[in-house]
Amino acid sequence: MTRAWEADASATLSRRLGKSAVELGCTGNDDGCPDIWELDNGDIAVIGRDLTTAFRAKLPTGVTIAADEQLVVIPRVMLIAAKADIPDA
């Protein structure tokens, strides 16, 4: 079955959206850093904690996580900082 959208593994990180985890105080620099990046094809990459297992049983009706998908969580302050870099339309 063909999906309406497919992730492009050949895309590259183009620009950070918002501020780095270091700037926001969201990392100790030793165990990874959450981040939000725009890819060169316009898609968005999110680096966060994988909480797929923890949230799978708590998903609202109509929300699913495919076998090849993960639910990741990032700090709220990180998305707020990225707002200025995300177009309205």
Side-chain angles (χ1 to χ4, degrees):
M1 173 191 254
T2 302
R3 292 178 170 174
W5 172 82
E6 199 59 60
D8 180 1
S10 69
T12 59
L13 299 175
S14 176
R15 70 180 180 119
R16 172 179 281 120
L17 300 180
K19 298 179 180 179
S20 72
V22 172
E23 291 174 284
L24 296 171
C26 297
T27 183
N29 286 329
D30 56 358
D31 62 350
C33 300
D35 223 333
I36 306 170
W37 281 80
E38 181 176 356
L39 303 179
D40 62 357
N41 67 0
D43 286 345
I44 306 299
V46 177
I47 301 169
R49 298 279 170 85
D50 179 2
L51 293 182
T52 306
T53 302
F55 277 86
R56 192 174 300 277
K58 301 188 267 185
L59 296 174
T61 301
V63 177
T64 59
I65 302 171
D68 62 346
E69 296 176 329
Q70 304 296 314
L71 184 149
V72 298
V73 175
I74 60 172
R76 182 177 193 274
V77 66
M78 182 160 280
L79 186 60
I80 290 169
K83 184 177 180 181
D85 294 333
I86 301 170
D88 290 330

